[in-house]
């Protein structure tokens, strides 16, 4: 996993670590926290020192006052009955007097805006609140080194903004040295002093976020996402020969409005347009502060034999040394045909919707109604994104389409058939369902068995099952691990197994609950390529997502759910024009849409839903005017 | 509150405020009573009193319904199997139990039926008594109570966490079952053996998920200083108040009285 890594973190520095899925970011966090190899097993060579102390010389509990670790999944670290008890637990372990514990608990509750939740159970909190609580619990121990493992992971837009604000607060008020493993490039751009990109267990790239995020293609090859504004800068630089290097929305607005004076709405600031939604203008790359340093020298780390086998597996390309070559790239998807060809399901009549709900109401046994009279009709062959804040009822709604939940009131139809008298197993013939968490979907003894489970249940012949399994293994680059138990694979590969299992069933309708969560940039793109390919063949796709850029780029239609009701239903362009509505649903438009609205508020939004569309629009305007005096260096040549 | 996350219901009822040691003592005595009495009426009364206790602690009805729904399959199995396996084995059972049904080795009697009801009531009573403790006692207080009773802190924490994560295991099992169904597994298909075999991978997946969870939890506990070389302190220390002494005294007296009834008067040894 980690192979000969040399890494120094300066006192007070905020270091970001990025890399593809399963590249070893979490392992690095565990090593830096001194938990590996003490509690994880595995073999370690080299040294990790924190302020001069070798972690191998100290058992993990003894380092608790020195290092704090925020785990990726807050559920695994929130085990106390109340918020207050959760923050106090670590302090009690340190043996602090009760009045000091009370003081620090109060301080953390205030810092992370959790005062009102003091006596609530952590399980009742929203995703963003849980992350803030986990962060508060770690920070209360006043560690000299704070390690954050994917602090933005799995959050809805509102939760993301909450955690961004908490980190911003931390940045301002604290001099703790921070190492942050993060896939969200916007968070890295906002906070990190320095960025390292891991590949094959080593540092492939290192520098300031601003410098590295200019290398869009190289980062993409390494499976690392870049901020959408950096994509835009690279696109414009490529088309126009400019030298833009903006990373944030505000920087982009300033740079582009000044270079297109006369064609932009000079007075319109981003904050003014999206006052309630948040595009905070966090400064990129703040100056280093004082604190404590950490040093990983010639670190080598090996864990399960999966990685080793993967490296030497037959049929795989030999290990590459070039950082820009992806290790586990899926086979190239065919160029998608974007014209949908409606494909009707088995026995479905012409014009019958693929999915339909009529006055659907649902409430769980213990609680308040979750869905209130939902009327939704998804025609065959449509690509629909279902969006909304956590708790808005998205998962509850889509679970009705494969019969996992049954309406308390109203009706649900799949290809015209009422689901009331059909079992989940029967509905699985028509509706392929992808769960949010791969670990809850995987139960086979091998990857091959796992993928074969669905086709066998469809009653296919052994030959046909075999054919589908082989095709799915090849399509998702899993042939080399076909005989391995899926449970021991890394997150990215487990997610591929679930996608391959779905693909092998080849249903006419696919319902996917946040399929891109936890995937790296390459996995994200490849998943979307696969879905676009299926859509082009006429499959109906209903996709639950928090990713507005995905919805803007791929969906024909976006349905916004808010507090169990449909708040909006229409094209992405129409939705993203309605700032008030987005704010009400705690959603934020993709940065490029927000930028277009800031620059050209009178223009229809559908012109600039994607970076490519924005570049085309900007290029057209750019070419219409003479070279302005205040363009960034390097622009004259193109003009 | 999602009961799949945790059973504990934060609150400030009299039962919430009671010291966990007093609750543990009362639970022990009530549990022993439930085990020593077989009389259906006594067990039904104990179960009824447990419900009153829970309602007085402002535990909502839907939570009680949820508990009943989770116990339902187990109780149904006891009610079904116990009368078939036992034809009223208690003393005097044969006298009042002319067989209702006689099929080879299987003999269904009224005594056997009553015994089934007695076992089911006993299981339900014990389950609701434990629930009364977990619904009104947070992990911190429970562990503190166990530690004050002499258990080392890591042991107390282990017991507390095991109880805390029981509902999580339940939700994991349901999630894996749903995933199988979503891929075409029809639960009602095939014979008993076929269905039982189909559950094996579900169990395996649940166990793997549980191991992953416990692995992460272990790391989280160590990262937050479990085992730090210092004497552990507490934000809110336990304090045994007069109300707690009163509860202990009442529970002990009631238990003593019931033991006189059970062994002095010989009442309650049989289900009828």
């Amino acid at each position: 996993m980690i192979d000969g890594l040399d890494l120094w973190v300066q006192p007070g520095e905020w270091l970001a670590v990025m890399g593809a899925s399963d590249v070893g970011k979490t392992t690095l966090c565990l090593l830096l926290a001194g938990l590996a190899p003490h509690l994880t097993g595995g073999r370690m060579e080299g040294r990790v020192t924190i302020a001069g102390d070798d972690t191998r010389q100290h058992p993990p509990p003894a380092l608790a006052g020195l290092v704090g670790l925020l785990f990726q999944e807050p559920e695994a670290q929130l085990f106390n009955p109340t918020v207050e008890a959760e923050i106090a637990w670590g302090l009690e372990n340190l043996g602090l007097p009760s009045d000091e514990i009370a003081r620090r608990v109060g301080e953390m509750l205030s810092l992370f805006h959790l005062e009102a939740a003091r006596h609530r159970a952590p399980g009742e909190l929203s995703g963003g609140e849980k992350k803030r609580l986990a962060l508060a619990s770690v920070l209360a121990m006043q560690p000299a080194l704070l390690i954050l493992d994917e602090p933005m992971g799995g959050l809805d837009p509102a939760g993301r903004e909450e955690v961004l604000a908490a980190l911003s607060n931390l940045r301002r008020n604290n001099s703790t040295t921070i190492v942050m493993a993060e896939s969200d490039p916007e968070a890295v751009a906002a906070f990190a002093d320095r960025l390292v990109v891991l590949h094959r267990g080593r540092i492939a790239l290192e520098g300031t976020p601003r410098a590295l995020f200019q290398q869009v293609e190289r980062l993409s090859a390494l499976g690392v996402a870049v901020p959408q504004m950096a994509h835009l800068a690279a696109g414009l630089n490529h088309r126009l020969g400019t030298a833009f290097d903006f990373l944030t929305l505000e920087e982009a607005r300033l740079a582009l409005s000044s270079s297109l004076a006369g064609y932009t709405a000079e007075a319109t600031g981003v904050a003014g347009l999206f006052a309630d939604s948040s595009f905070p203008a966090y400064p990129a790359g703040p100056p280093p502060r004082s604190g404590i340093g950490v040093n990983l020298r010639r670190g080598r780390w090996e864990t399960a034999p999966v990685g080793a086998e993967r490296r030497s597996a037959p049929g795989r390309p030999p290990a590459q040394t070039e950082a820009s070559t992806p290790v586990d790239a899926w086979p190239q998807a065919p160029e998608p045909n974007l014209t949908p060809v409606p494909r009707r399901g088995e026995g479905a009549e012409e014009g019958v919707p693929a999915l339909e709900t009529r006055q659907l109401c649902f409430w769980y046994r213990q609680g308040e109604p979750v869905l209130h009279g939902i009327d939704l009709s998804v025609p065959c062959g449509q690509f629909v994104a279902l969006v909304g804040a956590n708790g808005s009822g998205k998962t509850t709604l889509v679970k009705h389409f494969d019969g996992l939940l049954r309406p308390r009131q109203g009706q649900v139809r799949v290809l015209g058939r009422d689901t009331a008298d059909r079992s989940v197993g029967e509905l699985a013939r028509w509706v392929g369902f992808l769960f949010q968490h791969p670990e809850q979907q995987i139960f086979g003894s091998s990857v091959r068995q796992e993928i074969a489970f669905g086709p066998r249940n469809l009653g296919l012949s052994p030959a046909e099952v075999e054919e589908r399994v082989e095709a799915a293994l090849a399509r998702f680059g899993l042939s080399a691990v076909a005989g391995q138990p899926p449970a021991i694979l890394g997150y990215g590969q487990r997610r591929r197994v679930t996608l391959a299992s779905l693909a092998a069933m080849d249903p006419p309708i696919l319902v996917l609950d946040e399929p891109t969560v936890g995937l790296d940039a390459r996995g994200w793109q490849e998943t979307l390529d696969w879905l676009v390919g299926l859509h082009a063949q006429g499959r109906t796709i209903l996709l639950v997502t928090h990713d507005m850029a995905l919805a803007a780029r791929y969906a024909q239609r976006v349905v916004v759910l808010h507090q169990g009701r449909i708040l909006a239903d229409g094209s992405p362009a129409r939705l993203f024009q309605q700032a008030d509505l987005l704010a009400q649903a705690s959603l934020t438009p993709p940065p490029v849409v927000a930028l277009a609205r800031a620059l050209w508020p009178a223009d229809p939004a559908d012109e600039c839903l994607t970076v490519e569309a924005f570049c085309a629009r900007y290029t057209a305007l750019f070419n219409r005017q003479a070279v302005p005096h205040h363009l960034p260096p390097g622009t004259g040549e193109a003009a | 509150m999602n009961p799949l996350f945790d059973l504990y219901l934060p609150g400030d009822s009299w039962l919430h405020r009671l010291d966990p040691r007093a609750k543990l003592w009362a639970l022990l005595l009530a549990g022993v009573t439930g085990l020593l009495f077989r009389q259906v009426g006594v067990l039904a009364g104990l179960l009824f009193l447990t419900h009153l206790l829970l309602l007085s602690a402002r535990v909502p009805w839907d939570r009680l319904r949820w508990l009943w729904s989770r116990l339902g399959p187990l109780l149904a199995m006891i009610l079904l199997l116990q009368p078939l396996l036992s034809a009223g084995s208690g003393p005097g059972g044969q006298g009042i139990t002319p067989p209702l049904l006689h099929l080879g080795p299987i003999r269904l009697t009224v005594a056997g039926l009553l015994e089934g009801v007695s076992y089911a009531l006993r299981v339900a009573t014990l389950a609701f008594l434990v629930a009364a403790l977990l619904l009104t006692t947070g992990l911190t207080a429970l562990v503190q109570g166990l530690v004050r009773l002499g258990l080392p802190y890591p042991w107390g924490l282990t017991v507390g966490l095991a109880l805390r994560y029981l509902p999580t295991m339940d939700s994991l099992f349901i999630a894996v079952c749903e995933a199988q169904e979503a891929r075409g597994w029809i639960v009602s298909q095939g014979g008993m053996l076929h269905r039982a075999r189909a559950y094996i991978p579900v169990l395996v997946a649940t166990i793997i998920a549980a191991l992953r969870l416990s692995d992460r939890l272990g790391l989280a506990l160590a990262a937050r200083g479990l085992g730090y070389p210092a004497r552990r302190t507490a934000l809110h220390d336990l304090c045994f108040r007069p109300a707690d002494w009163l509860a202990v005294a009442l529970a002990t007296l009631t238990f003593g009285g019931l033991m006189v009834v059970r062994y002095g008067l010989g009442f309650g040894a049989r289900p009828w």
Side-chain angles (χ1 to χ4, degrees), chain A residues 39 61 64 71 73 75-81 84-86 88-90 92-96 98 101-102 119 123-124 137 141 365-366 399 402 404 424-425 428 435 440-443 450 453-454 457 487 494 501 505, chain B residues 1 3 5 8 10 62 66 69 138-140 153 157 161 164-165 172 175-176 178-186 201 205 208 212 216-217 219-236:
Chain A
L39 299 179
F71 289 82
E73 295 154 356
E75 281 80 6
Q77 57 194 318
L78 302 179
F79 45 84
N80 280 284
E84 179 190 66
E86 193 64 63
W89 191 83
E92 292 170 339
N93 286 330
L94 296 182
L96 298 178
S98 57
I101 296 175
H119 299 295
E124 288 179 345
S137 308
M141 298 173 77
R365 202 168 284 163
Q366 305 84 15
K399 275 188 163 183
D402 70 347
L404 289 171
V424 180
F435 288 78
Q440 292 177 356
Q441 202 172 352
I442 282 175
F443 39 77
E450 181 70 36
F453 181 82
N457 285 331
R494 274 185 285 143
S501 303
M505 293 187 73
Chain B
M1 172 73 199
F5 187 83
Y8 176 62
D62 58 11
W66 178 80
S69 73
L139 176 71
T140 317
Y153 182 76
L157 185 67
L161 287 174
R164 149 75 179 80
Y165 279 100
L172 275 176
V176 178
E178 284 185 346
Q180 281 218 355
E181 287 187 75
R183 280 165 56 199
W185 178 48
I186 299 174
I208 289 172
R212 271 184 196 279
R216 290 197 300 267
L217 182 64
L219 291 173
L221 292 173
R224 298 224 343 246
L226 178 65
Y228 188 80
R231 189 175 171 276
R232 203 171 187 283
T233 51
L235 174 60
H236 303 298

Side-chain angles (χ1 to χ4, degrees), chain B residues 3 17-18 60 65 69 78 86 91-92 103 145 148 151 159 190 203 225 263:
Chain B
R17 289 195 302 271
L18 215 55
R65 275 199 298 273
S69 73
I78 293 171
S86 157
L103 273 176
R148 286 295 193 89
L151 217 58
V159 172
L203 282 173
Y263 292 103

Side-chain angles (χ1 to χ4, degrees), chain A residues 367-538:
Chain A
E368 296 290 307
V370 181
L371 301 176
H372 306 264
I374 300 281
D375 283 315
L376 177 69
S377 176
V378 178
C380 286
Q382 201 168 53
F383 193 134
V384 181
L386 183 61
V387 303
N390 279 348
S392 58
K394 303 185 297 296
T395 297
T396 302
L397 173 59
V398 295
K399 275 188 163 183
H400 280 84
F401 294 125
D402 70 347
L404 289 171
L405 294 175
R406 304 289 174 170
R408 300 279 179 184
Q409 285 171 17
Q411 236 183 11
V412 177
R413 290 177 174 272
V414 171
L415 293 168
R417 301 168 176 93
D418 195 334
T419 61
D421 48 0
R422 295 185 188 272
S423 70
V424 180
E426 284 176 271
L427 290 167
R429 291 177 173 278
W430 306 306
V431 182
F433 194 92
L434 187 83
F435 288 78
Q436 193 176 343
H437 303 291
E439 60 273 15
Q440 292 177 356
Q441 202 172 352
I442 282 175
F443 39 77
S445 55
S446 70
V447 170
R448 189 184 298 279
Q449 291 294 326
E450 181 70 36
I451 297 172
F453 181 82
R456 274 199 203 113
N457 285 331
L458 295 180
L460 301 178
S461 68
E464 201 171 347
V465 170
E466 182 65 20
E467 190 185 324
R468 287 196 184 191
V469 170
E470 289 305 323
L473 285 168
R475 176 67 185 80
F476 291 92
L478 291 165
S479 301
V481 293
Q484 292 187 12
I488 66 164
L489 302 178
Y491 182 91
Q493 282 185 316
R494 274 185 285 143
R495 175 47 93 195
R496 289 187 204 183
V497 172
T498 60
L499 291 169
S501 303
L502 191 59
M505 293 187 73
D506 192 28
I509 302 165
L510 287 97
V511 176
L512 306 108
D513 194 356
E514 301 199 41
T516 56
V517 166
L519 290 178
D520 59 33
R522 198 166 54 234
W524 188 96
Q525 191 56 57
E526 286 162 346
T527 302
L528 266 300
D529 286 346
W530 173 62
L531 289 176
V532 167
L534 290 178
H535 179 229
Q537 293 166 20

